[in-house]
């Protein structure tokens, strides 16, 4: 590592860590942690132009890089504790680094997650964050465990991010326009960490929606060996989405658009969604059910409808 790299790490990433379970943080060859039992670990990479438009600001990218990872821990019912950050930059733009680290640490602080190491290299803008979190004795939540007869539930609302991406693309002024609620859904995803923890003992299976509702429901159904039915008319759609596209389009985006980072879970069918929402601290909607079989299907007022193709897959 060059002196320049060292300076940048010192300036933007080496912050005091108060967690006594971080025995060694940034500065040695590896971090050393006291995990006190099982940990969940996840890593996600964001590539500029693939996972986010290059037009969005560094602060939102910093938030997003950590948020998508915290969302994976949320889906496991894990408590975020530590993270590492591997950053590849085309050039060391200090304003961008200041913005990026501000967005990253604001979210990290909210979830008491310490940055304990990382890497800094030169190349096309790429951000990999790895997160680790404690798993309670009663956890983790997994994708397996849903049973025919369970209800299917989702937190928050779906489709905003996909609509924002399609609408704002590489127009940086549009992304930054004040009061643009659609843009906020993509720029500032909220990892449902508290909801994930509250779902332990309630959800029979859980996954976070990163690739699109139908695609991720497919993963949950495959892991649980059952069939998932989505009732189109039940999908939670935001006002921002409905005021920006027609209802049909909004439903298609909710089914297949990615980047929502809401939790999709199965639970006893008689669970009251309103009551669940109060316990989870986020609106919850019952959007369908699980049946015997495999794969997924979509109905509209109980009539089968053809599901739109979709769900994001890098290699398709
Ligand atoms: P090594 O060459 O031994 O892998 P590095 O020189 O890459 O170590 O990094 C030196 C220290 O700085 C390590 O403790 C590493 O974890 C930390 N580090 C490097 N890049 C980052 C970053 N982007 N954010 C946080 N810590 C970093
Ligand atoms: Mg290194």
């Amino acid at each position: 590592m060059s002196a320049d790299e060292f300076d940048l790490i010192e300036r933007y990433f080496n912050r005091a860590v108060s967690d006594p379970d971080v025995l060694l943080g940034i500065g040695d060859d590896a971090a050393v942690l006291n995990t006190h039992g099982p940990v969940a670990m996840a890593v996600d990479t964001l590539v500029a132009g693939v996972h986010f438009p290059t037009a969005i600001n560094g602060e939102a990218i910093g938030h997003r890089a950590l948020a998508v990872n915290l969302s994976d821990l949320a889906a496991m019912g894990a408590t975020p504790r530590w993270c590492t950050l591997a950053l590849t930059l085309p050039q060391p733009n200090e304003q961008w680094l200041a913005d990026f680290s501000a967005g990253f640490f604001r979210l990290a602080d909210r979830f008491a997650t310490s940055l304990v190491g990382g890497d800094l290299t030169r190349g096309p803008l790429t951000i990999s964050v790895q997160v680790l979190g404690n798993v309670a004795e009663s956890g983790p939540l997994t994708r397996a465990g849903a049973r025919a007869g369970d209800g299917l539930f989702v937190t928050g609302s779906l489709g905003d991010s996909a609509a924002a991406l399609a609408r704002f693309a590489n127009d940086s002024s549009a992304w930054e326009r004040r009061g643009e609620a659609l843009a906020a859904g993509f720029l500032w995803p909220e990892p449902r960490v508290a909801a994930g923890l509250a779902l332990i003992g309630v959800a029979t299976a859980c996954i976070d929606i990163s690739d699109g509702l139908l695609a991720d429901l497919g993963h949950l159904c495959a892991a649980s060996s059952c069939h998932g039915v989505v009732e189109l008319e039940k999908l939670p759609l935001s006002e921002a989405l409905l005021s920006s596209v027609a209802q049909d389009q909004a439903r298609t985006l909710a089914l297949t658009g990615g980047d929502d980072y809401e939790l999709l879970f199965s639970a006893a069918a008689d669970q009251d969604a309103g009551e669940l929402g109060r316990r989870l601290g986020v609106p919850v909607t019952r959007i369908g059910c699980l049946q015997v079989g495999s794969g997924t299907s979509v109905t509209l007022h109980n009539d089968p409808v053809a599901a739109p193709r979709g769900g994001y897959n890098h290699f398709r």
Side-chain angles (χ1 to χ4, degrees), residues 143-185:
R143 299 175 178 190
R147 296 285 168 266
D150 283 352
L152 188 61
F153 301 84
V154 70
T155 60
S157 63
L158 303 175
D160 286 30
S161 286
L165 275 178
R167 181 151 156 205
F168 305 133
N170 266 320
D171 179 350
S172 51
S173 61
W175 281 107
E176 275 159 37
R177 211 173 289 141
R178 274 181 176 281
E180 197 50 89
L182 260 194

Side-chain angles (χ1 to χ4, degrees), residues 293-315:
S294 62
T296 63
S297 61
V298 182
T299 64
L300 182 62
H301 303 298
N302 294 322
D303 292 328
V305 295
R309 273 186 61 81
Y312 197 77
N313 183 321
H314 285 273
F315 298 106

